């Protein structure tokens, strides 16, 4: 599904957000609408408190093994964020182990530049 349309109420026809393919959110509630279709209420990435709902058919569950850390216990991990390219790359020593596109900061709240310890 390239876009999931999120709504503040499952029975509303108004789209509050468009969620794009590949984004990850935490489901905090499941609810049936008036037509007996399931909707999931989201939290992480959208709002700090329970946020909008998406139709259940438009999302998929991510299993715990897919969330497992890459090479746990290895030392010398670091992250590089290239603001101009909008790309984040994870490294173990000098080997890139994961790369993804990002959207860094918003007007007035830009991503701080420099080297930072996480």
């Amino acid at each position: 599904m390239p876009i999931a349309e999120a709504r503040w109420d499952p029975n509303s026809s108004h789209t509050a957000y468009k969620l794009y393919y590949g984004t990850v959110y935490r489901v905090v509630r499941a609810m049936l609408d008036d037509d007996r279709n399931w909707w999931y209420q989201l939290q992480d990435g959208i709002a700090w408190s329970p946020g909008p709902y998406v139709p259940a058919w438009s999302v998929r569950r991510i299993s715990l093994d897919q969330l497992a850390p890459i090479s746990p216990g290895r030392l010398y991990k670091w992250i590089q964020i290239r603001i101009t390219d909008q790309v984040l790359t994870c490294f173990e020593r000098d080997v890139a182990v994961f790369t993804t596109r990002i959207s860094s900061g918003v007007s007035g709240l830009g991503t701080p530049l420099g080297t930072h310890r996480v």
Side-chain angles (χ1 to χ4, degrees), residues 8-47:
W8 285 111
D9 182 289
N11 294 302
S12 170
S13 61
H14 175 70
T15 300
Y17 293 98
K18 291 183 179 179
L19 308 179
Y20 294 91
Y21 179 80
T23 55
V24 179
Y25 305 95
R26 181 180 306 271
V27 171
V28 294
R29 182 177 179 206
M31 179 178 174
L32 283 171
D33 66 13
D34 291 343
D35 295 325
R36 311 264 321 138
N37 297 307
W38 283 103
W39 289 74
Y40 293 143
Q41 189 174 31
L42 307 177
Q43 184 168 339
D44 294 348
I46 295 290

Side-chain angles (χ1 to χ4, degrees), residues 1 5 15 28 32 35 43 53-54 57 88-89 98 112:
M1 189 80 217
E5 294 183 350
T15 300
V28 294
L32 283 171
D35 295 325
Q43 184 168 339
Y53 292 83
V54 294
W57 58 263
L88 177 146
T89 303
F98 178 77

Side-chain angles (χ1 to χ4, degrees), residues 50-111:
Y53 292 83
V54 294
W57 58 263
S58 68
V59 297
R60 74 172 180 89
R61 182 183 172 104
I62 297 176
S63 63
L64 288 177
D65 63 317
Q66 290 176 295
L67 294 174
I70 299 170
S71 309
R74 290 222 180 132
L75 301 176
Y76 308 108
K77 293 183 181 189
W78 57 283
I79 298 170
Q80 177 187 64
I81 298 173
R82 292 194 323 264
I83 302 291
T84 55
D85 299 326
Q86 292 293 283
V87 173
L88 177 146
T89 303
C90 299
F91 290 87
E92 290 178 352
R93 294 195 183 267
D94 293 328
V95 178
V97 294
F98 178 77
T99 299
T100 188
R101 296 185 51 77
I102 63 165
S103 177
S104 64
V106 294
S107 180
L109 296 172
T111 301

